[in-house]
Amino acid sequence: RRYVSSIDTESHRSVEEIASIVSSMIERRTAMDISQRTLAERCGLPQSSIARIESFKTTAKIDTLLKFMQPLELKLQVAAL
């Protein structure tokens, strides 16, 4: 039971972290008045990928997130817990 509880807590934390990253991307894209289609063109990726990530229908790999962040002038920072 302890093992299952720790996985649930860890999974919950991961979901929150991913949601925070994606929310920042959406806010920045909106603030820059960039459509999903335009962002996709700048990233060289399909617009449908951005739509799925922004609607939380899929979880992007780190390299994909970095591709999306570059045209939005965002960077990912790593910090100790």
Side-chain angles (χ1 to χ4, degrees), residues 32 34 37-45 67 70-72:
M32 293 176 76
I34 297 173
R37 184 176 310 279
T38 300
L39 179 58
E41 290 169 1
R42 292 179 185 178
C43 297
L45 296 166
K67 285 180 185 179
Q70 188 174 12
L72 296 173

Side-chain angles (χ1 to χ4, degrees), residues 2-49:
R2 284 187 216 142
Y3 180 72
V4 172
S5 294
S6 71
I7 290 173
D8 290 343
T9 301
E10 190 172 313
S11 294
H12 185 349
R13 188 179 2 235
S14 294
V15 169
E16 287 179 346
E17 291 168 351
I18 292 167
S20 176
I21 292 168
V22 172
S23 293
S24 294
M25 290 172 54
I26 294 168
E27 287 175 20
R28 180 68 173 172
R29 182 179 63 74
T30 303
M32 293 176 76
D33 198 30
I34 297 173
S35 68
Q36 288 182 348
R37 184 176 310 279
T38 300
L39 179 58
E41 290 169 1
R42 292 179 185 178
C43 297
L45 296 166
Q47 178 273 331
S48 59
S49 294

Side-chain angles (χ1 to χ4, degrees), residues 36-71:
Q36 288 182 348
R37 184 176 310 279
T38 300
L39 179 58
E41 290 169 1
R42 292 179 185 178
C43 297
L45 296 166
Q47 178 273 331
S48 59
S49 294
I50 294 173
R52 284 193 307 273
I53 291 167
E54 287 188 355
S55 64
F56 300 100
K57 291 183 179 175
T58 189
T59 303
K61 293 182 181 180
I62 190 75
D63 60 326
T64 303
L65 287 175
L66 293 173
K67 285 180 185 179
F68 289 153
M69 292 174 135
Q70 188 174 12

